[in-house]
Amino acid sequence: SNQGIQTLLEAEKEASKIVSKSKQYRVQRLKDARSEAQKEIEQLKQQKQQEFIDFEKQYEGSTSQSVIQLEQQTEKELKEVQQLYVKNKEQVIAKLLETVAACEPKV
């Protein structure tokens, strides 16, 4: 009888050790899974960041090129306006003076 109780106590201790190891194994697997998931998240984050950078570079160039073309077009049009001003300045002044001088006051 005493021997049977001793065997039951040893079996209970053994079962407790098995349950404890099982819990530790489960906790470790959860930690490993969490760590692996975190690594995958970081990799995906880096991949998406790189895709965004590549996207920005792709369209940044075209935007810069558009700005350059627009500035060149504006400069060209500004020069044309200045040339027309220089070309027609004397004629406009002459017409203004002619109109002012030819004005007859009426009462």
Side-chain angles (χ1 to χ4, degrees):
S1 163
N2 207 9
Q3 181 72 22
I5 292 175
Q6 190 64 30
T7 304
L8 283 174
L9 286 174
E10 288 176 12
E12 189 177 328
K13 283 182 184 179
E14 189 64 30
S16 178
K17 287 180 185 178
I18 291 172
V19 168
S20 177
K21 284 184 180 181
S22 177
K23 284 181 181 178
Q24 287 175 350
Y25 178 71
R26 192 179 89 225
V27 167
Q28 187 59 46
R29 279 185 32 210
L30 285 172
K31 285 181 181 177
D32 292 345
R34 187 175 292 133
S35 175
E36 192 63 33
Q38 190 64 35
K39 286 179 187 176
E40 288 179 19
I41 288 171
E42 282 301 315
Q43 288 174 346
L44 183 61
K45 201 176 189 181
Q46 289 175 355
Q47 177 187 347
K48 292 299 179 184
Q49 181 67 24
Q50 188 59 48
E51 287 175 11
F52 179 72
I53 290 170
D54 293 343
F55 178 83
E56 276 187 323
K57 285 181 182 177
Q58 178 183 356
Y59 290 100
E60 177 182 313
S62 64
T63 302
S64 297
Q65 189 63 29
S66 297
V67 168
I68 291 170
Q69 288 176 347
L70 187 59
E71 287 175 348
Q72 290 173 345
Q73 180 69 24
T74 303
E75 190 66 31
K76 179 182 173 190
E77 290 176 8
L78 186 59
K79 284 181 182 179
E80 288 175 4
V81 168
Q82 288 174 340
Q83 288 172 350
L84 288 172
Y85 168 75
V86 169
K87 178 182 174 187
N88 295 320
K89 179 173 100 172
E90 294 299 324
Q91 291 174 339
V92 170
I93 291 173
K95 280 191 175 189
L96 283 172
L97 290 176
E98 181 183 320
T99 304
V100 169
C103 184
E104 295 180 21
K106 293 183 181 177
V107 179

